[in-house]
Amino acid sequence: MKEFIQTLKNIWSLKELREKILFTLGIILVYRFASYISLPAINMAEVGNLLEHYKNQGGNKQGAGLLGLLSSFTGGAFSRASIMALGIMPYISASIIVQLMGMAIPYLQKLQKDGESGRNTLNQITRWLTIAVCLVQAPSYLTSITQMFLPHAQFASAYYVHPQSVMFWLPSIVILVAGSVFAMWLGEKITDKGIGNGISILIMVGILADLPGAFIQEVATQTGKGGLGTIMILIEVLFWMLVVLLAIILSVAVRKIPIQYVSRAQARGGVNRNLMQGARQWIPLKVNAAGVMPIIFAQALMFVPGLLTKVDETNTFLAGFKNVFSWQYNLLYALLIIIFSFFYTAITIPVNQMADDLKRNGGLIPKVRPGKETADYLDDILSKITLPGSIFLAIFAVLPAFLHGTFVQTDRFALFFGGTSLLIMVGVILDTVQQINTYLLNHHYDGLMQSKLSRNTNQ
């Protein structure tokens, strides 16, 4: 505990790091405040219980689960009909589109290799594409609110302006697009002047904002009539901590590939012992190199099986795909995650480029020839570690469905036992802590080097 307190003192003593952390917290407060500002045309008094009403009035589990997930990503802004209802997700979608298009469009491939200027151009393309995505998602969001979740016929008092009029649609679309662009700007400001990846931090904050309310709801359910009592709450908390630990292990697990670098002088010497004296390093290949992207891709496609129910509404097997807690839905969901894990890892880990870079810099993997043989070796290792990584990722994704109703009683709290929410939280926190540690190490860099030189001199 003393070491932890001393670490906090060290963080606060560094002026640059202290200012970055305070700036980040300030931006987060602005983002959270904006998420409570509702659209001008909607009466918030009628929107407060939107999710609960939808579930109680015949809404299916797929719709309720999807609403809960979207609401958690935006810190509840989605369910509050906030100006930030779209949140940062349009920017994430645009980033994914640009990344995937980069594999097929030579111009984008060239920009990826152009260094800082290329990255700036790609960022500008992503920003404009974000606006385009918002222009598609904003009408869809308003349609879902006005027709499915808060229909005017039953909730006329929820609207200050008739939802079919231009005065409702045009200002609401403009405000929703502006809110998403504002969230993107806040995230970029955190990245530039704060600590951590700003976009990821805003997503994490939105998820964490729903955790206290979800936990309180779970406690009320477990301790109320028909609940399993206080002891079950304690068991749930302990099990949640175990799941978080496993998520951390999955996020940081790597397979280290040893590599040897030989200096030019050693290479000209032609003596085998010089090869053994080269600098020894590692290539860390992550077990879960794809991160949460396979889950996001799989979720984007899982609405398709639900459409099959319209072909034959009496088919009970097809009807299972409309329920996010059914075995049909989760089996297909897990298979898609495994497939996308291999796909995304293959397109994001350039083993051929890694092999070329090693060869160019005088590096080699022991007992493996440089060039194509090195690329094949790395590809083989990557395939072997991706399989267990993708299986564990699929287990994390479907875990909330298995726990809901049997172990965890409420939908909101079940989402924190796995899936995208938990992995995003763990990944962002680990990345932010790593950046803070880097600042601390840089602050003590001279002293460490001086001590090392002193030891070498004394020897």
Side-chain angles (χ1 to χ4, degrees), residues 303-357:
F303 77 93
V304 176
L307 298 177
L308 297 177
T309 56
K310 297 182 179 180
V311 178
D312 186 3
E313 295 183 357
T314 61
N315 192 315
T316 57
F317 176 79
L318 294 178
F321 289 108
K322 297 179 64 176
N323 184 359
V324 296
F325 301 114
S326 68
W327 68 267
Q328 299 100 314
Y329 183 96
N330 285 278
L331 178 61
L332 179 60
Y333 188 32
L335 290 176
L336 286 176
I337 290 173
I338 294 175
I339 293 172
F340 281 125
S341 293
F342 279 94
F343 170 75
Y344 196 79
T345 301
I347 65 176
T348 56
I349 307 297
V351 291
N352 292 323
Q353 183 179 342
M354 292 168 63
D356 292 339
D357 291 341

Side-chain angles (χ1 to χ4, degrees), residues 88-97 130 199-200 203 293 296:
I88 203 68
M89 297 311 293
Y91 180 83
I92 300 297
S93 302
S95 300
I96 295 172
I97 293 172
T130 299
I199 302 299
S200 300
I203 296 176
M293 297 309 299
I296 294 175

Side-chain angles (χ1 to χ4, degrees), residues 305-436:
L307 298 177
L308 297 177
T309 56
K310 297 182 179 180
V311 178
D312 186 3
E313 295 183 357
T314 61
N315 192 315
T316 57
F317 176 79
L318 294 178
F321 289 108
K322 297 179 64 176
N323 184 359
V324 296
F325 301 114
S326 68
W327 68 267
Q328 299 100 314
Y329 183 96
N330 285 278
L331 178 61
L332 179 60
Y333 188 32
L335 290 176
L336 286 176
I337 290 173
I338 294 175
I339 293 172
F340 281 125
S341 293
F342 279 94
F343 170 75
Y344 196 79
T345 301
I347 65 176
T348 56
I349 307 297
V351 291
N352 292 323
Q353 183 179 342
M354 292 168 63
D356 292 339
D357 291 341
L358 279 176
K359 185 177 180 180
R360 190 180 306 111
N361 296 319
L364 57 87
I365 299 175
K367 300 181 181 180
V368 179
R369 293 181 179 179
K372 186 178 183 305
E373 189 171 327
T374 297
D376 293 339
Y377 177 81
L378 292 175
D379 184 65
D380 180 63
I381 295 296
L382 198 61
S383 299
K384 290 178 179 178
I385 64 176
T386 299
L387 178 59
S390 63
I391 293 175
F392 279 111
L393 187 64
I395 292 174
F396 271 103
V398 301
L399 188 59
F402 284 99
L403 296 178
H404 177 266
T406 56
F407 186 70
V408 182
Q409 297 299 316
T410 58
D411 296 354
R412 292 173 63 189
F413 194 57
L415 289 174
F416 288 94
F417 279 84
T420 316
S421 301
L422 182 64
L423 292 174
I424 287 177
M425 287 193 302
V426 169
V428 174
I429 291 174
L430 289 176
D431 179 65
T432 306
V433 169
Q434 184 179 3
Q435 290 197 30
I436 293 175

Side-chain angles (χ1 to χ4, degrees), residues 14 434 436-446 448:
L14 296 176
Q434 184 179 3
I436 293 175
N437 285 336
T438 300
Y439 274 96
L440 293 175
L441 290 174
N442 288 339
H443 179 67
H444 298 287
Y445 183 77
D446 293 339
L448 291 172

Side-chain angles (χ1 to χ4, degrees), residues 12-14 42 49-51 165 190 195 254 260 263 305 337 347 351-352 375 412 417 421 459:
W12 191 254
S13 64
L14 296 176
I42 297 180
N49 298 321
L50 185 149
L51 286 176
S165 66
I190 292 178
I195 191 76
V254 296
Q260 189 98 29
S263 66
I337 290 173
I347 65 176
V351 291
N352 292 323
R412 292 173 63 189
F417 279 84
S421 301
Q459 291 175 355

Side-chain angles (χ1 to χ4, degrees), residues 183-197:
M184 175 184 67
W185 181 80
L186 292 177
E188 291 181 347
K189 284 300 177 183
I190 292 178
T191 303
D192 293 338
K193 299 182 179 181
I195 191 76
N197 184 291

